Amino acid sequence: MDPEDEKREATRLFNMVWKLLKRDDRSLHDNETMVHAAHASRYHWGNVGEPVHWGRGEWQVSRVYAELGRHESAHHHALRYLEICLAHELEPYDHVYAHEALARAAKVKGDNHSLQNHIRNIHQWRVKITDNEELKFIEEDLATLF
């Protein structure tokens, strides 16, 4: 696949998953489509993206699994995001979202101790962010944790 076509496909799949995540009336077929599309998007970003794309792809896979109540898979992919953040020194925004994903996975599992720990980490990284648009996204997503 041509690299530019692969980037477009990775983006298209990511956006499709995001639209499905926002729907309240998803069918079983929609849920399975989300899983496959999130993994496919991450796969394509692994071929043509940079660490930030890999991490955010892991975040989306984790988010899909959390939405579906599959805490082990949600935790696995959230942890991969954090590992990518640390290995590649990603921006504070990505660290916030790695901990948001880990917090969401902990919530699905019912692990309140881990949930609170990751919320503390979110706030430690969040104070380093000055971009208002990034802060807006963070606040909107954090509101869905409670």
Side-chain angles (χ1 to χ4, degrees):
M1 188 177 233
D2 172 80
E4 288 305 312
D5 288 340
E6 194 160 14
K7 285 179 184 178
R8 278 190 290 279
E9 184 64 4
T11 300
R12 184 189 72 77
L13 289 163
F14 188 93
N15 291 336
M16 180 181 76
V17 170
W18 192 242
K19 286 179 186 174
L20 287 169
L21 276 168
K22 291 182 176 183
R23 286 185 44 196
D24 294 328
D25 62 342
R26 288 189 314 267
S27 66
L28 177 60
H29 174 69
D30 293 334
N31 289 341
E32 292 301 313
T33 297
M34 279 194 319
V35 170
H36 297 307
H39 279 284
S41 176
R42 171 58 182 92
Y43 168 79
H44 289 298
W45 281 124
N47 291 334
V48 295
E50 298 178 12
V52 68
H53 300 110
W54 310 338
R56 292 177 186 180
E58 294 292 346
W59 170 84
Q60 189 178 62
V61 173
S62 176
R63 180 69 175 260
V64 166
Y65 282 124
E67 284 288 318
L68 299 178
R70 301 178 192 175
H71 70 85
E72 289 179 10
S73 294
H75 182 264
H76 171 81
H77 291 282
L79 193 56
R80 286 288 305 126
Y81 188 12
L82 183 59
E83 290 167 352
I84 291 167
C85 285
L86 295 170
H88 298 280
E89 299 179 356
L90 296 185
E91 298 294 321
Y93 181 80
D94 290 286
H95 285 267
V96 164
Y97 271 98
H99 286 287
E100 181 268 348
L102 286 161
R104 199 171 294 278
K107 180 179 178 184
V108 170
K109 184 179 181 182
D111 183 348
N112 194 53
H113 177 73
S114 290
L115 171 64
Q116 295 305 318
N117 183 48
H118 290 297
I119 289 171
R120 280 189 295 279
N121 285 320
I122 288 167
H123 293 298
Q124 288 174 351
W125 283 101
R126 189 173 144 259
V127 298
K128 298 176 182 186
I129 298 172
T130 58
D131 182 277
N132 287 333
E133 188 172 352
E134 288 181 350
L135 289 168
K136 177 181 168 254
F137 288 136
I138 291 166
E139 294 308 315
E140 288 172 359
D141 281 329
L142 290 180
T144 67
L145 263 174
F146 305 103

